[in-house]
């Protein structure tokens, strides 16, 4: 569906084990490799015999997008996967793996901005004790996964929990007043965006109540791109098949404006 909407895409590649192991444990990688039939990993995460390859392709494509300033249109998403476990639809943490790949190639300070409607607990966990990576998240509070409250803060962990019922103006104000100043103080070489579109006004997810439009996502992307000399994005949530192509297209316009 997204590939039909953006036919000039470049194919990604599989991540190597070494690239994945900069973020995840060997036990998780081996567990995913061993799955040979449909398996419920936890309440919200199901995998099958093809999921290991899909997860490696998503992670490797995220790395290539980060290197080239692109937008990785990948599934499964990644920001709920913690270092030692798959969780919340996510098998491997694509954006975290991409950040570590850039650092292995010489990048220093990296900021990850996450505007998925759900908090990226896995990305937060991956970098909680690492001041070379700043994680900043805008998300609706009180829904899955239940993390990301204001008491989960460090100098390089910025959580901005939002109530339900908000639209473009409120999301952009929160970005301008809380996310952008923190990222600018951090002065990253690269901004990686966990670009989730499940705050879209046309999404219909359990307990999610946000009203961000295509124009709002365009502005969020544009403002992310203004925060560092380099920007790249990785797809996270967004499950309305009717709304997702337009929202992704608007964000692409914002990233390249």
């Amino acid at each position: 569906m997204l590939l039909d909407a953006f036919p000039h895409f470049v194919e990604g590649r599989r991540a190597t084990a070494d690239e994945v192991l900069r973020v995840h444990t060997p036990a998780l990688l081996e567990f995913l490799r061993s799955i040979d039939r449909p398996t419920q990993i936890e309440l919200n995460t199901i995998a099958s015999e093809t999921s290991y390859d899909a997860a490696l392709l998503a992670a490797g494509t995220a790395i290539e997008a980060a290197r080239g300033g692109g937008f990785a249109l990948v599934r499964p998403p990644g920001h709920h996967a913690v270092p030692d476990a798959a969780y919340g639809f996510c098998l491997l943490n694509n954006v975290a793996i991409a950040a570590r790949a850039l650092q292995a190639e010489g990048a220093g300070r990296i900021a990850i901005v996450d505007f998925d409607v759900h908090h990226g607990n896995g990305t937060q966990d991956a970098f909680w004790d690492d001041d070379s990576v700043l994680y900043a998240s805008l998300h609706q509070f009180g829904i899955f996964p239940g993390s990301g409250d204001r008491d989960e803060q460090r100098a390089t962990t910025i959580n901005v929990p939002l109530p339900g019922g908000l639209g473009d103006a409120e999301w952009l104000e929160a970005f301008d007043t809380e996310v952008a100043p923190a990222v600018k103080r951090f002065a990253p070489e690269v901004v990686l965006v966990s670009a989730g579109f499940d705050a879209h006004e046309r999404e219909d997810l359990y307990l999610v109540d946000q009203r961000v439009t295509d124009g709002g996502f365009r502005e969020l992307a544009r403002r992310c791109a203004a925060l560092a000399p380099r920007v790249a994005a990785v797809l996270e949530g967004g499950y309305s098949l009717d709304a997702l192509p337009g929202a992704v297209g608007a964000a692409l316009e914002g990233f390249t404006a």
Side-chain angles (χ1 to χ4, degrees):
M1 174 265 300
L2 280 178
L3 300 187
D4 291 339
F6 305 102
H8 301 298
F9 65 88
V10 176
E11 288 191 13
R13 64 165 177 88
R14 289 165 53 113
T16 67
D18 286 345
E19 288 169 332
V20 172
L21 292 173
R22 294 189 184 114
V23 173
H24 293 287
T25 62
L28 173 60
L29 197 59
E30 181 55 38
F31 169 67
L32 295 175
R33 184 188 290 116
S34 73
I35 294 173
D36 60 3
R37 61 180 62 86
T39 301
Q40 186 157 7
I41 297 174
E42 54 90 29
L43 181 62
N44 296 289
T45 309
I46 297 173
S48 71
E49 61 275 11
T50 63
S51 295
Y52 177 69
D53 282 341
L56 291 181
L57 280 168
T61 301
I63 292 171
E64 293 306 308
R67 286 172 171 165
F71 192 151
L73 301 180
V74 296
R75 285 286 189 261
H79 71 157
H80 296 309
V82 297
D84 62 353
Y87 186 64
F89 298 174
C90 302
L91 303 180
L92 299 173
N93 196 310
N94 305 315
V95 76
I97 292 167
R100 288 301 191 210
L102 293 185
Q103 289 188 321
E105 295 166 2
R109 298 161 76 82
I110 296 175
I112 298 173
V113 177
D114 187 337
F115 56 69
D116 191 286
V117 79
H118 302 97
H119 178 243
N121 60 293
T123 311
Q124 176 174 292
D125 286 359
F127 300 112
W128 182 259
D129 293 319
D130 183 353
D131 288 340
S132 71
V133 178
L134 179 142
Y135 176 67
S137 176
L138 290 166
H139 52 272
Q140 182 176 327
F141 187 66
I143 60 173
F144 182 88
S147 54
D149 203 352
R150 287 193 178 274
D151 61 358
E152 296 175 41
Q153 303 282 359
R154 297 181 68 250
T156 53
T157 301
I158 313 299
N159 282 310
V160 186
L162 302 171
L166 305 186
D168 295 351
E170 294 87 357
W171 276 71
L172 292 170
E173 180 182 10
F175 184 94
D176 289 343
T177 59
E178 302 199 55
V179 173
V183 176
K184 289 176 181 177
R185 287 193 299 270
F186 184 71
E189 298 172 35
V190 185
V191 167
L192 300 180
V193 181
S194 272
F197 298 93
D198 36 10
H200 197 279
E201 62 181 352
R202 291 162 62 191
E203 280 281 2
D204 183 23
L205 297 172
Y206 179 64
L207 295 179
V208 171
D209 178 23
Q210 299 296 331
R211 301 162 191 175
V212 181
T213 69
D214 290 354
F217 286 116
R218 183 182 295 108
E219 274 302 302
L220 284 169
R222 185 184 68 80
R223 294 177 194 199
C224 286
L227 295 175
R230 295 169 57 191
V231 65
V234 181
L235 183 64
E236 298 287 358
Y239 306 100
S240 168
L241 298 183
D242 293 330
L244 189 57
V248 169
L252 281 168
E253 292 172 2
F255 285 129
T256 57

